[in-house]
Amino acid sequence: MYALREALNAFRRAPMLTGLSSAMVGLALFVVGLFGLATYNLQLALTTIEERVEISVHLRDDARQSEIDLAHRELEEIAEVRSVTFLSKRDALDRARAEFPDFRELFSDLEVNPLPQSLEIELVPGERNLEIVESIAATAMTYPFVEDAFYGREWVDKLFTLRRVGAATTAVLGGAFALVAALIIATALRIAIFARKEEIYVMRLVGAKKESIRRPFLLEGAMTGLIGGMIAWLLTWGTYRSVYAFLFHVAWLPPSWVMGGIGTGVVFGAIASSFAIRRYLREV
Amino acid sequence: MIKLTNVSKEYPKRGHVLRDVTLHMKKGEFAFLTGHSGSGKSTTLRLIHMADRPTNGEVCVTGYSTDRITDRDLWKVRRRVGFVFQDFRLLPGRTALENVSFVLEVTGTASKDVVQRAQRLLAQVGLSTKAGALVHELSGGEQQRVAIARALANDPYVLLADEPTGNLDDRATRGVMDLFWDINAKGMAVLMATHDLDLVRRYPHARLFELDQGELVYDSFAAEGDHVRPT
C-alpha cells in the first residue's frame, strides 16, 4: 500500500520529470509499434498470397474414373494436404470462361475442349513451402495417368524468398528497434531515479530494507512503462487511422499484439528501474 | 554500546584515514569527537553507522559486529543508530511532517500510527507548529530539528551527529545542543563530531575523543596508563 502510494506520489511531486520519462518511453515504443504495424500488414499480405499456392495435377483424357478416385483419396490422406478437388474438362472450361471474360467468345467457338481434367490440391496453411509443394507434386506425378503437376515453381520460389527476407528483416530491424527502445526506456528511468537518489540514500540511512526501498521504484517504473505503452498505442492508432483514411487500407494490430506491447512497456519499465536503483542501494 | 577495536580505514585514493583506533562508548554516554578537518571524524561516524567497513579491526555497535553482519542485515543496525548531518539532508518539496513520517513508513510503522507518531516526534524537538511547513520555509535550526526528529523515528539506542551545528548560528546551535542533552538525559547515547572547540568547552561533563591524522590521541575518560592521554 505504501509502495503504491509513494509511486503515485512520485508522479504528483515531479510531474515534469515523470511526464517526460513516460513520453520518452511512449515515443520509443511508438517506433516499435509502427514497425509492428508494418510487419503485421506485410505478414497478412504474404499470407493472402500464400493462400493461393496450390497444385494443379493435370490428368490424361483417358484416365479412368476409378483411378482418379483412388488418386484423389490417396492425395487427400497426405498430412499437409487440406483438400483435393476434382475438376472435369467441362468444369475447367466453365472456370476459364468465368476467369477470362474477354475470351468468352473464343471459348464458345471451340469444337473440342482443349482443357485437361485435373485434381486441384490445396495445402494446409503453414505447410505451403516450396519443399512440401515439390514433394506433393512429385507424389502426384507417380500416377501413370497424370500428365503434369503445376504449381508455378518460380512464383512459389520468389514468394518464399520474399518471406525469408521478410523474416530476416523483421528479426534484425525489429531487434534493433527493440534495443533502441530498451536503451531509451532504461535511460529515461535512470534519469528519473537519479533525481531521487537522495531519497534512496535517506531510506538506507534510516534502516529501510532493500525490498521496501525497491518496491515503490519498481511500481513507478512499471507505471511509467504503462503510461508510455498507452501513449505508444494512441500514437500508433492515430497513424493507422490516418494511413487508412488518406493513403491505403491497412489492418489494425490484433489485440494480443497491442496487449503484448503495453505489457512489454510495463515489464521493461520495472526491470529498468530495478537495474537503475541497484547502484544507489549499494552506496550506503 | 559502541566498540571500535584496533580499527583502521584506508581508501584507495586518500590512503590511511584511520589508524588503529580503539574506542569504547557506554550506553547513555554523551561524547564529542573532535579533531581538525580530515582527522577522520566523519569516517569514524560512517564506520559506526556501518556505511563503510573497516580495512582492519572490528566495529561493534549495539551487538552487531562488522565482522559478522551481512549487507542484507545492515538495516538492523541503522534502526538502532540515528544519524544527523551538518547539511540536514532533508527531502526537499516535502513538509516537516512528511520528512519524518516518510521514515516511519519505510521502516514499517503501521499506516494508522504514522502521522500521530511523526507529530509526537516533531513536538519532542519543539516543532509541532511547523509540521505543515515545507523544508525551504524553515530556518537552518528548524531544519536541523526536523533532521533530529527523523533520526529519532526508530527509537535508536545511539544518536550520531556529524557537525550538526556547523551551519547554524549561535542561538540555533544552543537550541540543538539543548535538544541533544534532553535526548541523552532519556538514556540515549550521543556521539557528536565537531571541530568547534569553543562549543565543546561549554560542556565539560561530556566525554571527549580527539582524533589527529586518523589516530585517537585523546580520551577524557581514559584511565592512567592507557595509550591515549587521560584528563
Side-chain angles (χ1 to χ4, degrees):
Chain A
M1 192 62 198
Y2 155 73
L4 183 64
R5 201 169 56 243
E6 266 304 301
L8 289 170
N9 278 343
F11 285 87
R12 184 178 55 82
R13 287 194 194 106
M16 182 64 108
L17 185 65
T18 46
L20 280 175
S21 301
S22 300
M24 279 173 77
V25 173
L27 287 174
L29 290 176
F30 172 49
V31 175
V32 178
L34 282 185
F35 181 74
L37 194 62
T39 305
Y40 179 66
N41 278 279
L42 187 68
Q43 192 181 318
L44 273 186
L46 284 173
T47 307
T48 310
I49 298 168
E50 234 179 69
E51 275 169 7
R52 290 157 72 180
V53 173
E54 58 177 29
I55 305 163
S56 181
V57 181
H58 290 192
L59 310 173
R60 291 161 61 117
D61 287 352
D62 58 358
R64 288 202 298 269
Q65 193 57 45
S66 59
E67 290 173 323
I68 296 171
D69 291 344
L70 180 66
H72 190 154
R73 278 198 301 278
E74 285 178 351
L75 288 170
E76 241 175 5
E77 280 169 11
I78 298 173
E80 292 86 1
V81 171
R82 179 148 88 175
S83 67
V84 179
T85 311
F86 173 67
L87 213 65
S88 68
K89 286 169 74 72
R90 173 93 201 158
D91 295 338
L93 189 60
D94 288 346
R95 187 201 266 186
R97 281 181 182 141
E99 287 184 2
F100 305 102
D102 292 348
F103 300 104
R104 190 183 293 265
E105 278 183 26
L106 180 70
F107 288 128
S108 306
D109 295 343
L110 291 171
E111 287 179 10
V112 178
N113 179 357
L115 299 177
Q117 54 187 342
S118 63
L119 289 170
E120 304 295 318
I121 303 174
E122 194 186 338
L123 302 175
V124 171
E127 304 289 358
R128 293 164 178 148
N129 62 55
L130 187 61
E131 202 178 315
I132 290 171
V133 171
E134 275 180 341
S135 153
I136 293 171
T139 306
M141 286 297 289
T142 58
Y143 294 101
F145 53 88
V146 169
E147 270 183 350
D148 212 342
F150 295 92
Y151 55 85
R153 188 193 159 84
E154 266 186 34
W155 182 73
V156 171
D157 207 9
K158 276 181 188 158
L159 178 66
F160 290 105
T161 303
L162 189 63
R163 190 174 260 297
R164 275 196 296 274
V165 170
T169 311
T170 304
V172 174
L173 269 183
F177 280 141
L179 186 66
V180 170
L183 288 174
I184 291 173
I185 294 170
T187 306
L189 290 166
R190 213 178 169 79
I191 292 168
I193 285 180
F194 176 79
R196 294 173 64 198
K197 67 179 174 145
E198 188 66 15
E199 205 171 305
I200 299 168
Y201 180 82
V202 170
M203 287 186 190
R204 290 284 285 152
L205 183 80
V206 299
K209 293 181 193 174
K210 284 188 178 179
E211 302 79 60
S212 315
I213 300 172
R214 203 178 279 126
R215 224 172 285 138
F217 287 97
L218 288 189
L219 271 174
E220 192 184 324
M223 282 181 195
T224 307
L226 178 67
I227 295 170
M230 304 292 270
I231 291 171
W233 173 61
L234 284 173
L235 290 174
T236 312
W237 171 259
T239 308
Y240 153 73
R241 289 305 304 169
S242 305
V243 171
Y244 191 90
F246 301 115
L247 296 174
F248 46 84
H249 283 199
V250 285
W252 175 239
L253 298 169
S256 60
W257 286 42
V258 176
M259 297 309 287
I262 296 174
T264 303
V266 172
V267 171
F268 200 82
I271 292 172
S273 279
S274 168
F275 274 103
I277 202 174
R278 271 170 57 180
R279 185 181 149 201
Y280 300 108
L281 285 178
R282 280 198 299 263
E283 271 186 3
V284 188
Chain B
M1 178 68 52
I2 297 174
K3 197 171 181 183
L4 277 71
T5 312
N6 305 115
V7 169
S8 297
K9 181 66 189 174
E10 187 180 356
Y11 291 106
K13 288 181 184 168
R14 290 171 60 198
H16 266 99
V17 179
L18 284 182
R19 292 168 197 271
D20 203 26
V21 171
T22 295
L23 173 160
H24 185 197
M25 226 181 120
K26 290 180 193 152
K27 192 177 174 187
E29 270 191 317
F30 190 114
F32 288 110
L33 183 62
T34 65
H36 295 295
S37 182
S39 59
K41 302 187 295 291
S42 296
T43 302
T44 305
L45 294 190
R46 280 179 64 81
L47 289 173
I48 294 169
H49 196 236
M50 296 194 187
D52 243 330
R53 288 180 188 258
T55 311
N56 287 307
E58 183 188 9
V59 177
C60 197
V61 182
T62 68
Y64 292 104
S65 162
T66 48
D67 282 357
R68 289 182 295 278
I69 196 163
T70 61
D71 282 351
R72 198 169 183 77
D73 285 336
L74 282 177
W75 62 272
K76 293 177 182 169
V77 184
R78 305 271 164 79
R79 291 194 189 183
R80 292 181 170 204
V81 182
F83 208 114
V84 178
F85 297 91
Q86 179 176 357
D87 57 357
F88 325 130
R89 303 197 87 148
L90 297 174
L91 298 177
R94 299 195 191 204
T95 64
L97 187 72
E98 283 171 341
N99 264 279
V100 179
S101 53
F102 168 71
V103 175
L104 294 166
E105 280 176 324
V106 296
T107 51
T109 304
S111 299
K112 61 182 173 58
D113 300 331
V114 167
V115 174
Q116 199 182 2
R117 273 193 64 188
Q119 280 168 336
R120 207 163 54 230
L121 285 160
L122 285 174
Q124 193 180 339
V125 297
L127 278 183
S128 42
T129 57
K130 301 273 184 161
L134 290 166
V135 167
H136 68 267
E137 294 167 344
L138 299 170
S139 69
E142 288 168 339
Q143 288 189 39
Q144 193 58 293
R145 284 168 181 270
V146 176
I148 294 168
R150 181 179 71 184
L152 299 177
N154 292 321
D155 285 327
Y157 297 0
V158 184
L159 184 65
L160 304 177
D162 193 1
E163 303 277 4
T165 58
N167 284 349
L168 305 181
D169 60 24
D170 269 358
R171 189 156 172 253
T173 296
R174 271 199 303 278
V176 166
M177 289 308 297
D178 288 349
L179 193 52
F180 281 148
W181 281 104
D182 286 348
I183 291 163
N184 176 248
K186 287 173 186 158
M188 194 181 299
V190 177
L191 177 60
M192 175 176 154
T194 179
H195 66 274
D196 183 352
L197 292 177
D198 289 337
L199 176 72
V200 173
R201 283 189 202 105
R202 279 186 230 161
Y203 304 95
H205 303 300
R207 189 173 183 178
L208 177 61
F209 297 109
E210 187 184 339
L211 287 167
D212 185 25
Q213 294 182 359
E215 288 183 43
L216 185 68
V217 294
Y218 184 79
D219 175 0
S220 62
F221 282 16
E224 289 283 352
D226 282 359
H227 71 284
V228 288
R229 276 184 291 133
T231 316

